[in-house]
Amino acid sequence: MMKIPILTRGRFDKRRPERHHGGVFSTMMFAMSFDTRAHNSAMTHFDQHDSFWLFGYGSLIWKADFAFIERRPAYIEGWARRFWQGSHDHRGTPELPGRVATLTCQPDALCYGMAYRIEPAVLAGLDLREKNGYLRERVIIRFDGGRGEEGLIYLATEDNAAFLGAAPLKEMAAHIARAHGPSGSNREYLLNLASALAAQGVHDEHVSALAALLPAEGEY
């Protein structure tokens, strides 16, 4: 059985210098060949569990198209949500990848989202959904009162082939306004996430700023 360590900030302390792609997509064309399903299926830590918690911080908050036993608002510590991951298969194309959420290390940050109790059989479908650069990682998920339980996230780090990285917020918003893929527009992804967080009473400065900077449709 492959032993997978619980994710902590220290695992990613040694990071490459921040890359700044802005609106340039040609350097990321190789990303469409990166598929994480085989790697994720080798993570067997939860296979013998009757059920366990999955933490969603992006589209998993508002698009739960998988079977779950229960769901609860939750958060994880030391991680901040950022629109730094490229989406070639859902909210964009290889020529114009969308920008979708991943997590970056940030001391003292709290990332709020939704936790779902799921059975191991659900993971195959989630691996397919998250195959463009996201890896399963173990984390401590916290609920009301600070109670923590071991669970799972899908994380796209800067080492994955589809990573786009940081850019000025105005450029990122314009990028999101243009991108569209098989699952719909990148604009819809951002606005749905902003609405879902607001419904939970969560203010995420990064998400709110991008939503506020989105050009009107047809003005980009």
Side-chain angles (χ1 to χ4, degrees):
M1 178 181 294
M2 177 181 289
K3 185 176 181 181
I4 306 294
I6 292 179
L7 179 65
T8 63
R9 290 191 302 274
R11 289 188 58 198
F12 298 106
D13 281 347
K14 295 181 179 179
R15 303 177 70 85
R16 295 198 299 263
E18 190 172 86
R19 291 177 291 177
H20 204 215
H21 295 290
V24 179
F25 310 113
S26 59
T27 59
M28 299 302 297
M29 286 296 290
F30 67 94
M32 60 182 169
S33 66
F34 185 65
D35 188 326
T36 58
R37 283 177 291 180
H39 183 99
N40 282 331
S41 67
M43 181 189 178
T44 58
H45 178 76
F46 292 104
D47 285 3
Q48 302 306 313
H49 290 58
D50 292 332
S51 64
F52 57 91
W53 289 103
L54 166 74
F55 179 75
Y57 56 87
S59 64
L60 289 175
I61 299 177
W62 54 268
K63 189 178 181 182
D65 57 354
F66 52 90
F68 60 88
I69 300 165
E70 60 175 310
R71 63 181 168 188
R72 300 179 192 173
Y75 64 93
I76 57 176
E77 299 174 317
W79 298 92
R81 187 174 9 237
R82 293 290 182 266
F83 273 65
W84 291 358
Q85 175 67 2
S87 176
H88 303 74
D89 56 346
H90 286 298
R91 298 290 171 169
T93 64
E95 295 74 25
L96 182 59
R99 276 187 174 268
V100 292
T102 187
L103 300 172
T104 186
C105 303
Q106 184 174 308
D108 303 321
L110 300 177
C111 180
Y112 290 88
M114 189 66 70
Y116 301 86
R117 184 172 287 282
I118 62 172
E119 296 178 347
V122 174
L123 286 173
L126 288 167
D127 287 348
L128 176 62
R129 172 172 170 167
E130 306 294 337
K131 66 182 174 62
N132 193 201
Y134 289 85
L135 295 173
R136 298 185 201 171
E137 297 283 358
R138 291 163 57 196
V139 295
I140 299 301
I141 301 171
R142 298 200 178 275
F143 301 91
D144 288 345
R147 177 178 61 85
E149 290 194 31
E150 183 185 50
L152 181 73
I153 59 171
Y154 282 87
L155 175 69
T157 73
E158 67 176 18
D159 295 311
N160 86 85
F163 192 77
L164 292 176
L169 287 173
K170 190 173 182 179
E171 290 183 18
M172 292 174 67
H175 177 157
I176 290 167
R178 293 194 303 272
H180 193 287
S183 295
S185 71
N186 204 179
R187 171 191 295 273
E188 176 188 53
Y189 176 102
L190 169 59
L191 294 179
N192 282 350
L193 178 55
S195 295
L197 292 172
Q200 288 186 227
V202 173
H203 176 73
D204 185 302
E205 184 62 34
H206 181 75
V207 175
S208 296
L210 286 173
L213 288 167
L214 268 180
E217 294 193 56
E219 292 186 2
Y220 44 84

